[in-house]
Amino acid sequence: ADLVGADSDTDLAVLRLRSDETFHSISFGDAERLEVGEWVLAVGNPFRLTSTVTAGIVSALGRSVDVVNDRFGIESFIQTDAAINPGNSGGALVNLNGELIGIATAIATETGTYEGYGFAVPVDLMDRVVKDLIQYGSVQRGFLGVSIEEIDSRRAAALGLPKVQGVLLAQVGSGLAASNAGLRPGDVLLSIQGKEISAPNELQSIVALYRPGQDLDAEVWRNGTRSIISIRLSGKEDPQYASWAMDADPDRM
């Protein structure tokens, strides 16, 4: 096989097989329709046991477990208790219709083997990454140009929010997407493209589905007022990107 491209932000890669054989592709499911408690199957080669299938349920959605070792790493995993072990990485997580809903990528363990906590990259994010790797050789990722922080109950009360929701803009990079749209430090992003946000990794995973130059509608909380602002995503070619990206501040996107 030849490496077509790899993306460290999502820990995914595309390989091109050199073969005269005909290979059948798997049908894609809809990760957005997944529900906690839904049955899923994990397919892989754990401990060199070829084509092993294990069953479990969706234990949680949108998990971040700090396993992608990249400062712009994107983690919003499907968590499952289907047995996943070394050798399962890159294997399919499918629903009961046999449709791909995720790619197994990690486990949470203190022993190095299965303890009931496996994680998979959702198929919608995988599809976006794969298409870019095939077409461009790298992912064309859009950026807001912000650093973000989580909203807890104390911060929500201080900001006058009716409930704990959204993410706080701690910094806004000058000349980048959020700044150009009129956003400023202290604003709270409540939703993007109609999808509510409750954690930094949720915002990162939504924005990762779009390319530079695309417009996103963001619901913003500022001084007790909600408003909708259109944001045109920046890309790495923007003159201000390099200085912003070099900043050591975490949770930048």
Side-chain angles (χ1 to χ4, degrees):
D2 299 316
L3 178 65
V4 175
D7 179 52
S8 60
D9 290 352
T10 52
D11 196 27
L12 292 170
V14 173
L15 301 178
R16 179 185 291 109
L17 299 179
R18 296 193 303 270
S19 175
D20 294 329
E21 264 190 82
T22 298
F23 294 92
H24 299 284
S25 61
I26 191 170
S27 298
F28 286 6
D30 186 350
E32 289 193 6
R33 297 180 62 185
L34 271 182
E35 296 182 358
V36 173
E38 183 174 339
W39 282 94
V40 291
L41 305 174
V43 184
N45 306 305
F47 307 118
R48 300 181 183 177
L49 299 172
T50 304
S51 300
T52 295
V53 178
T54 56
I57 61 168
V58 174
S59 304
L61 298 168
R63 284 293 198 215
S64 177
V65 290
D66 296 325
V67 295
V68 179
N69 297 317
D70 190 277
R71 66 187 308 266
F72 288 106
I74 298 164
E75 294 190 2
S76 187
F77 295 128
I78 301 165
Q79 181 181 327
T80 179
D81 65 353
I84 293 176
N85 281 293
N88 276 107
S89 292
L93 186 71
V94 303
N95 60 25
L96 294 187
N97 294 322
E99 297 168 330
L100 183 70
I101 50 128
I103 298 293
T105 193
I107 58 175
T109 177
E110 294 184 355
T111 64
T113 57
Y114 171 74
E115 292 183 13
Y117 309 99
F119 304 95
V121 178
V123 68
D124 51 352
L125 179 58
M126 183 221 73
D127 186 40
R128 160 82 172 85
V129 169
V130 163
K131 286 177 178 175
D132 271 11
L133 291 178
I134 292 172
Q135 185 171 353
Y136 305 107
S138 62
V139 177
Q140 308 300 296
R141 181 157 291 125
F143 294 91
L144 293 174
V146 297
S147 62
I148 53 180
E149 295 178 0
E150 194 161 359
I151 301 283
D152 57 18
S153 57
R154 181 177 299 178
R155 181 169 276 171
L159 292 165
L161 286 164
K163 62 179 181 178
V164 178
Q165 64 178 130
V167 294
L168 179 71
L169 302 188
Q171 296 179 6
V172 177
S174 176
L176 292 172
S179 174
N180 293 339
L183 293 174
R184 58 193 190 214
D187 288 343
V188 177
L189 287 182
L190 302 175
S191 69
I192 294 282
Q193 296 294 88
K195 299 176 183 177
E196 289 192 358
I197 299 162
S198 59
N201 70 308
E202 290 182 2
L203 177 60
Q204 290 170 323
S205 63
I206 293 171
V207 174
L209 298 175
Y210 299 91
R211 293 187 173 97
Q214 289 188 285
D215 295 323
L216 304 184
D217 289 331
E219 185 181 11
V220 179
W221 178 270
R222 179 188 293 169
N223 298 327
T225 302
R226 296 173 186 262
S227 60
I228 301 295
I229 294 178
S230 180
I231 306 172
R232 177 160 294 178
L233 293 178
S234 301
K236 292 183 178 181
E237 73 283 352
D238 283 87
Q240 303 297 324
Y241 171 82
S243 59
W244 169 78
M246 289 297 292
D247 195 297
D249 193 62
D251 285 328
R252 300 176 73 77
M253 57 170 304

